[in-house]
Amino acid sequence: MNTKKKYAGTKKPAQKMMTKTQSAPRGEIEEYLYMLPVEVRAEDLLEVIEAPQEKKDVWHELDLMEVKLGHDGLIFENFMDCFDTKSDQAFLKENGVKKVYAFSYDSLDKAEAAKAVREIHAAFGGFIASDTKDLQPVYQPEEFG
């Protein structure tokens, strides 16, 4: 799996979006992969998350969405292009995965992030993998948070 995306700037688009000030309390940034059994777009994920509309944003051209939480944003970014090796493709096929999103959030927002992940799971199914070379451990959304 190629976890390095090429960007014109020095920061990933998701890093450029952060709206909180540097002086706000921050935890660690948690990063995972959401494996979906269906083809969806970021706006589809955003629709099923219960949050005020003014806290939601989507970038259609990047297939990326953000929900503003208490300390930072919950960000889902299309990650399919990073699954480009034969072993990656075999993993996707063996597990019935049609779409992969990388998602991240501030650890201080874990309860809110877990709620949103469960809402996505209720609508679309899927599972969570660690953002590691072997994708382990794997979690079901009800185990997450």
Side-chain angles (χ1 to χ4, degrees):
M1 170 178 50
N2 176 8
T3 60
K4 303 280 187 216
K5 283 195 172 183
K6 296 177 183 169
Y7 298 100
T10 58
K11 294 183 177 182
K12 293 180 183 178
Q15 291 171 323
K16 291 180 181 180
M17 288 186 289
M18 299 303 166
T19 56
K20 295 291 181 182
T21 64
Q22 293 297 332
S23 61
R26 296 185 66 100
E28 297 292 319
I29 298 299
E30 304 267 340
E31 297 178 313
Y32 296 92
L33 302 175
Y34 199 104
M35 309 283 185
L36 290 146
V38 294
E39 285 283 342
V40 295
R41 304 262 318 143
E43 57 263 28
D44 301 323
L45 302 178
L46 200 57
E47 281 181 22
V48 301
I49 295 173
E50 292 182 26
Q53 196 61 38
E54 63 272 8
K55 292 191 172 204
K56 296 179 177 183
D57 213 345
V58 66
W59 288 262
H60 300 281
E61 63 279 359
L62 298 174
D63 195 14
L64 183 146
M65 69 88 163
E66 178 183 24
V67 178
K68 291 172 186 68
L69 303 177
H71 294 88
D72 212 334
L74 169 64
I75 298 168
F76 275 74
E77 180 178 7
N78 183 348
F79 212 62
M80 285 299 291
D81 291 345
C82 294
F83 281 75
D84 56 359
T85 68
K86 285 184 182 181
S87 63
D88 292 339
Q89 293 300 312
F91 174 88
L92 297 178
K93 186 175 183 179
E94 289 167 13
N95 290 283
V97 176
K98 305 268 192 256
K99 189 75 177 246
V100 179
Y101 281 91
F103 72 98
S104 62
Y105 59 90
D106 187 301
S107 61
L108 297 175
D109 294 324
K110 185 159 188 136
E112 289 178 278
K115 178 182 177 291
V117 167
R118 287 191 296 274
E119 291 166 346
I120 291 170
H121 182 259
F124 302 110
F127 62 94
I128 299 164
S130 297
D131 190 5
T132 60
K133 187 173 182 156
D134 67 356
L135 304 173
Q136 297 297 318
V138 171
Y139 307 94
Q140 289 300 316
E142 58 272 8
E143 302 171 311
F144 183 75

